[in-house]
Amino acid sequence: MTLPHTRPRLRWLAAVAGVLILAGCGEKTEQEQLEALRDSLTYTQYRRLSHHGLPASYNAWREGMRMAGSEPTPELTPDTECMIHGLLGYSALSADRSTIAIAESDIVDALPACRDYAQISAALRSVAFHRREWPQLAEQQSEFAINGGKTLDAGQATEARMRMLIVHAALGYKAITDKRWDRAQVHIDAIALSLKQPWLSELGRAGLAINNGDVREGLVMLKRLSENPQVPPEARAYLGELIGQIEAETGDVDSSLWMARVFTKVVWGEIKRHGPDGLASLMEFVDQQSAKVDQLMGDGKGMLDGWWQSAKERLRSDGKSFDD
């Protein structure tokens, strides 16, 4: 028999127990959510299909291209297979299908031949986790993408990171010029995470807004960036000039052209500033070579013309025609 005065205590204990039970069944940790995703039907079915079915699908596509008389396509080597899975992951992210992107990055990690792609798959996964609002997991993958794992020495990690940044920069630029802003944003996000410069993602979103016809919103975002103290002064000044150019065009903007120039100038500068030292020095060399080309095509044009004229005179003195 329960005494009357014990009932309030029992009710209180029951309430506390209920709260504890609910707390135990509450929001899952990021790792638990990731494990649940990897147990899901979508993930398991897609990963099995892509992992085991890609070689046959690729060879069938390659044969179809050959029968259609297209240019020869490369054979499916282990390295090609790694690259295809990585590109499939980026394509999935551009379509906002993060589960598939995570599956593809996991396949890259599982294939023995893809060791050199470990940092690329980590960058892919970091963007997917960031979009799923798993900041701790995104940061872990971003750190791996930047610094490499225990299986890589310092030199290998730097080389892998350099390769990853070059891949993102090249594919991001191509996506912009092709007006595929969904894909471009994936690569801009990856570069921003790798360099730990989140404002770069905002730059991509400004371009996306303008590409979609919302010039006013894009200008607001660009102006916010031009006033952001975290953005380097030279980039802020360049964005200020850009804003003036857009406003002068009264909204008639070919964003694929000017945004490609912005991507090149701003992202190039940030990779030099925050990327690996080896890559920064290589980019300095490229800048020097580019300046020489500019000089030859500009200031050096008179010199080239003079050389060309003297060459033609010698041909004439030998009794030959310039057209021979």
mmCIF file with all atom_site columns, all heavy atoms in Angstrom, residues 42 58 76 181 309:
data_model
loop_
_atom_site.group_PDB
_atom_site.id
_atom_site.type_symbol
_atom_site.label_atom_id
_atom_site.label_alt_id
_atom_site.label_comp_id
_atom_site.label_asym_id
_atom_site.label_entity_id
_atom_site.label_seq_id
_atom_site.pdbx_PDB_ins_code
_atom_site.Cartn_x
_atom_site.Cartn_y
_atom_site.Cartn_z
_atom_site.occupancy
_atom_site.B_iso_or_equiv
_atom_site.pdbx_formal_charge
_atom_site.auth_seq_id
_atom_site.auth_comp_id
_atom_site.auth_asym_id
_atom_site.auth_atom_id
_atom_site.pdbx_PDB_model_num
ATOM 1  N N   . THR A 1 42  ? 18.993 4.555  -49.275 1.00 0.00 ? 42  THR A N   1
ATOM 2  C CA  . THR A 1 42  ? 19.515 5.352  -50.391 1.00 0.00 ? 42  THR A CA  1
ATOM 3  C C   . THR A 1 42  ? 21.025 5.222  -50.486 1.00 0.00 ? 42  THR A C   1
ATOM 4  O O   . THR A 1 42  ? 21.594 4.975  -51.553 1.00 0.00 ? 42  THR A O   1
ATOM 5  C CB  . THR A 1 42  ? 19.142 6.833  -50.214 1.00 0.00 ? 42  THR A CB  1
ATOM 6  O OG1 . THR A 1 42  ? 17.725 6.958  -50.184 1.00 0.00 ? 42  THR A OG1 1
ATOM 7  C CG2 . THR A 1 42  ? 19.700 7.681  -51.355 1.00 0.00 ? 42  THR A CG2 1
ATOM 8  N N   . TYR A 1 58  ? 30.975 2.396  -67.552 1.00 0.00 ? 58  TYR A N   1
ATOM 9  C CA  . TYR A 1 58  ? 31.951 3.216  -68.267 1.00 0.00 ? 58  TYR A CA  1
ATOM 10 C C   . TYR A 1 58  ? 32.366 2.548  -69.575 1.00 0.00 ? 58  TYR A C   1
ATOM 11 O O   . TYR A 1 58  ? 32.447 3.198  -70.625 1.00 0.00 ? 58  TYR A O   1
ATOM 12 C CB  . TYR A 1 58  ? 33.180 3.459  -67.396 1.00 0.00 ? 58  TYR A CB  1
ATOM 13 C CG  . TYR A 1 58  ? 34.222 4.337  -68.067 1.00 0.00 ? 58  TYR A CG  1
ATOM 14 C CD1 . TYR A 1 58  ? 34.122 5.729  -68.017 1.00 0.00 ? 58  TYR A CD1 1
ATOM 15 C CD2 . TYR A 1 58  ? 35.291 3.777  -68.769 1.00 0.00 ? 58  TYR A CD2 1
ATOM 16 C CE1 . TYR A 1 58  ? 35.062 6.535  -68.640 1.00 0.00 ? 58  TYR A CE1 1
ATOM 17 C CE2 . TYR A 1 58  ? 36.234 4.573  -69.396 1.00 0.00 ? 58  TYR A CE2 1
ATOM 18 C CZ  . TYR A 1 58  ? 36.118 5.953  -69.323 1.00 0.00 ? 58  TYR A CZ  1
ATOM 19 O OH  . TYR A 1 58  ? 37.050 6.740  -69.947 1.00 0.00 ? 58  TYR A OH  1
ATOM 20 N N   . LEU A 1 76  ? 39.523 2.659  -68.785 1.00 0.00 ? 76  LEU A N   1
ATOM 21 C CA  . LEU A 1 76  ? 39.238 2.792  -67.357 1.00 0.00 ? 76  LEU A CA  1
ATOM 22 C C   . LEU A 1 76  ? 40.400 2.208  -66.557 1.00 0.00 ? 76  LEU A C   1
ATOM 23 O O   . LEU A 1 76  ? 40.435 1.012  -66.288 1.00 0.00 ? 76  LEU A O   1
ATOM 24 C CB  . LEU A 1 76  ? 37.927 2.104  -66.987 1.00 0.00 ? 76  LEU A CB  1
ATOM 25 C CG  . LEU A 1 76  ? 37.481 2.287  -65.525 1.00 0.00 ? 76  LEU A CG  1
ATOM 26 C CD1 . LEU A 1 76  ? 37.135 3.740  -65.261 1.00 0.00 ? 76  LEU A CD1 1
ATOM 27 C CD2 . LEU A 1 76  ? 36.297 1.396  -65.202 1.00 0.00 ? 76  LEU A CD2 1
ATOM 28 N N   . TRP A 1 181 ? 26.315 27.496 -62.367 1.00 0.00 ? 181 TRP A N   1
ATOM 29 C CA  . TRP A 1 181 ? 26.621 28.086 -61.073 1.00 0.00 ? 181 TRP A CA  1
ATOM 30 C C   . TRP A 1 181 ? 26.428 27.117 -59.924 1.00 0.00 ? 181 TRP A C   1
ATOM 31 O O   . TRP A 1 181 ? 27.065 27.251 -58.877 1.00 0.00 ? 181 TRP A O   1
ATOM 32 C CB  . TRP A 1 181 ? 25.770 29.337 -60.877 1.00 0.00 ? 181 TRP A CB  1
ATOM 33 C CG  . TRP A 1 181 ? 26.302 30.471 -61.681 1.00 0.00 ? 181 TRP A CG  1
ATOM 34 C CD1 . TRP A 1 181 ? 25.935 30.833 -62.945 1.00 0.00 ? 181 TRP A CD1 1
ATOM 35 C CD2 . TRP A 1 181 ? 27.350 31.353 -61.320 1.00 0.00 ? 181 TRP A CD2 1
ATOM 36 N NE1 . TRP A 1 181 ? 26.682 31.891 -63.382 1.00 0.00 ? 181 TRP A NE1 1
ATOM 37 C CE2 . TRP A 1 181 ? 27.556 32.236 -62.404 1.00 0.00 ? 181 TRP A CE2 1
ATOM 38 C CE3 . TRP A 1 181 ? 28.147 31.501 -60.173 1.00 0.00 ? 181 TRP A CE3 1
ATOM 39 C CZ2 . TRP A 1 181 ? 28.517 33.240 -62.371 1.00 0.00 ? 181 TRP A CZ2 1
ATOM 40 C CZ3 . TRP A 1 181 ? 29.099 32.502 -60.149 1.00 0.00 ? 181 TRP A CZ3 1
ATOM 41 C CH2 . TRP A 1 181 ? 29.271 33.353 -61.238 1.00 0.00 ? 181 TRP A CH2 1
ATOM 42 N N   . GLN A 1 309 ? 60.041 41.600 -89.702 1.00 0.00 ? 309 GLN A N   1
ATOM 43 C CA  . GLN A 1 309 ? 60.399 42.320 -90.925 1.00 0.00 ? 309 GLN A CA  1
ATOM 44 C C   . GLN A 1 309 ? 61.798 41.926 -91.396 1.00 0.00 ? 309 GLN A C   1
ATOM 45 O O   . GLN A 1 309 ? 62.032 41.704 -92.584 1.00 0.00 ? 309 GLN A O   1
ATOM 46 C CB  . GLN A 1 309 ? 60.339 43.834 -90.682 1.00 0.00 ? 309 GLN A CB  1
ATOM 47 C CG  . GLN A 1 309 ? 58.927 44.391 -90.578 1.00 0.00 ? 309 GLN A CG  1
ATOM 48 C CD  . GLN A 1 309 ? 58.139 44.253 -91.875 1.00 0.00 ? 309 GLN A CD  1
ATOM 49 O OE1 . GLN A 1 309 ? 58.703 44.243 -92.960 1.00 0.00 ? 309 GLN A OE1 1
ATOM 50 N NE2 . GLN A 1 309 ? 56.820 44.125 -91.739 1.00 0.00 ? 309 GLN A NE2 1
#
